[in-house]
């Protein structure tokens, strides 16, 4: 979608450049200029609308990234917590001597 909008803006810019080059060689009478003003206003309105659409799209994308960052942080925290719990719940490996000592203590 963004690529389409940028492509459209590029085409509009090229049209304006061609129009400027064409008008640079033509007579710049007030009558000729007054005929071009509505066309130029229409182009400006089109560009303003495209920029507004692009801004809305970018805001939506930024909101999605913000949500992604929040969820990623939460998942990362929970994963770290679970790994810690798993490491704490593992039975410690005792040597035979340590086991014998514990048995004597319990007796």
């Amino acid at each position: 979608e963004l690529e389409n909008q940028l492509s459209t803006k590029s085409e509009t810019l090229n049209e304006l450049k061609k129009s400027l080059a064409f008008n640079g060689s033509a007579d710049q009478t007030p009558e000729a200029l007054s005929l071009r003003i509505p066309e130029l206003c229409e182009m400006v309105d089109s560009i303003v609308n495209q920029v507004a659409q692009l801004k809305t799209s970018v805001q939506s994308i930024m909101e999605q990234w913000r949500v992604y960052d929040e969820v990623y942080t939460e998942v990362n925290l929970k994963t770290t917590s679970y790994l810690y719990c798993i490491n704490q719940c593992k039975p410690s490996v005792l040597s035979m001597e340590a086991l014998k000592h514990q048995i004597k203590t319990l007796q």
Side-chain angles (χ1 to χ4, degrees):
E1 181 182 350
L2 294 176
E3 289 178 12
N4 290 338
Q5 291 175 355
L6 291 175
S7 174
T8 303
K9 288 179 187 177
S10 177
E11 290 173 7
T12 304
L13 183 61
N14 287 336
E15 288 175 15
L16 286 172
K17 286 180 182 178
K18 288 177 186 177
S19 175
L20 182 62
F22 176 75
N23 287 335
S25 63
D27 292 330
Q28 296 296 319
T29 64
E31 294 82 15
L33 291 176
S34 67
L35 294 175
R36 295 278 298 150
I37 289 174
E39 182 182 341
L40 292 174
C41 288
E42 186 178 320
M43 287 180 178
V44 168
D45 289 341
S46 173
I47 291 172
V48 167
N49 289 335
Q50 291 173 8
V51 167
Q53 290 174 352
L54 183 61
K55 183 178 178 182
T56 302
S57 296
V58 169
Q59 286 174 340
S60 172
I61 291 168
M62 293 304 293
E63 176 64 19
Q64 290 172 0
W65 273 108
R66 185 190 63 77
V67 169
Y68 169 82
D69 284 341
E70 289 175 2
V71 170
Y72 177 82
T73 301
E74 184 178 341
V75 167
N76 192 27
L77 181 64
K78 287 186 178 188
T79 302
T80 303
S81 175
Y82 293 147
L83 288 174
Y84 176 79
C85 288
I86 288 171
N87 285 333
Q88 294 301 316
C89 293
K90 282 183 182 176
S92 56
V93 178
L94 299 176
S95 66
M96 185 60 90
E97 291 299 317
L99 287 173
K100 286 179 183 178
H101 179 69
Q102 279 186 352
I103 290 172
K104 285 182 185 179
T105 305
L106 291 173
Q107 291 175 345

